[in-house]
Amino acid sequence: MQPATAKWYDRRDSVFVEFCVEDSKHVKVNFDRSKFVFGCVSGTDHIKQQNTVDLFGEINPKGSKHRRTDRSVLLCIRKAEAGKSWPRLTKDKTKCNWLSLDFNNWKDWEDDSDEDLSSFDKFSEMMNTIGRDDVSDLDGAGEEHDSADRDNEQMPNLE
């Protein structure tokens, strides 16, 4: 048996680990409060792979789950204490040669406050409404805008 290659990233309430195994079969994932065990048979060579990971923090085993695709197995590991960042996946500081950070999905969420997020949500909602007809009503130009649209619709085709 050999360890499967994986990459991971941290979120506010979960940690995600993606095992890069193609054509996996017999996937087994066992979650415990402080660790998980991943195992499968992968590829056309039927290579047995297994990873036992002692985790940096405690997790909620019942809230944790996994999903298998043809190219990988993704684990969604629920933190027991949401809002606490994990500087690494493993309990020990030793470097695991099979594990790396998923920089494509990494987000430094620690500095985001709830207030900043709600302001961002309000801003996003406002930006989504721009371009709708109801925005033009805010400045009292809704009727002129509607008639201009009707005029544009009746224009003859230019040759």
Side-chain angles (χ1 to χ4, degrees):
M1 275 200 244
Q2 66 184 35
T5 303
K7 50 189 178 179
W8 79 283
Y9 60 97
D10 185 31
R11 288 290 190 265
R12 191 174 301 280
D13 60 350
S14 301
V15 173
F16 293 87
V17 181
E18 183 176 17
F19 287 96
C20 306
V21 289
E22 291 188 18
D23 300 324
S24 59
K25 297 171 188 72
H26 311 294
V27 175
K28 292 183 182 178
V29 182
N30 295 321
F31 297 105
D32 191 20
R33 292 278 305 157
S34 61
K35 71 176 183 177
F36 72 85
V37 179
F38 167 80
C40 73
V41 176
S42 68
T44 55
D45 297 337
H46 303 290
I47 299 169
K48 292 182 180 179
Q49 298 183 311
Q50 183 172 341
N51 300 66
T52 301
V53 181
D54 291 320
L55 295 167
F56 174 80
E58 288 194 0
I59 65 169
N60 176 358
K62 292 182 181 180
S64 300
K65 54 190 170 189
H66 72 280
R67 184 185 74 207
R68 182 203 162 282
T69 66
D70 289 339
R71 305 190 98 206
S72 66
V73 178
L74 180 65
L75 278 58
C76 175
I77 304 169
R78 290 278 180 206
K79 295 178 182 178
E81 188 177 341
K84 184 178 178 186
S85 69
W86 288 17
R88 60 186 178 277
L89 179 66
T90 60
K91 184 177 184 178
D92 297 330
K93 289 185 179 183
T94 57
K95 172 80 174 133
C96 300
N97 59 357
W98 55 267
L99 182 64
S100 64
L101 279 174
D102 186 350
F103 287 106
N104 291 333
N105 289 308
W106 190 266
K107 180 184 174 199
D108 190 15
W109 57 265
E110 279 185 293
D111 298 332
D112 294 343
S113 68
D114 292 337
E115 183 178 307
D116 293 342
L117 289 176
S118 65
S119 297
F120 179 76
D121 291 341
K122 289 177 186 175
F123 178 74
S124 296
E125 184 179 331
M126 181 186 74
M127 292 302 292
N128 288 334
T129 61
I130 291 179
R132 294 183 188 164
D133 290 337
D134 59 346
V135 173
S136 61
D137 290 339
L138 294 176
D139 62 358
E143 292 176 19
E144 294 171 3
H145 180 69
D146 289 343
S147 64
D149 283 348
R150 276 187 248 122
D151 290 342
N152 286 341
E153 292 174 357
Q154 296 172 1
M155 284 182 43
N157 291 336
L158 298 175
E159 294 178 357

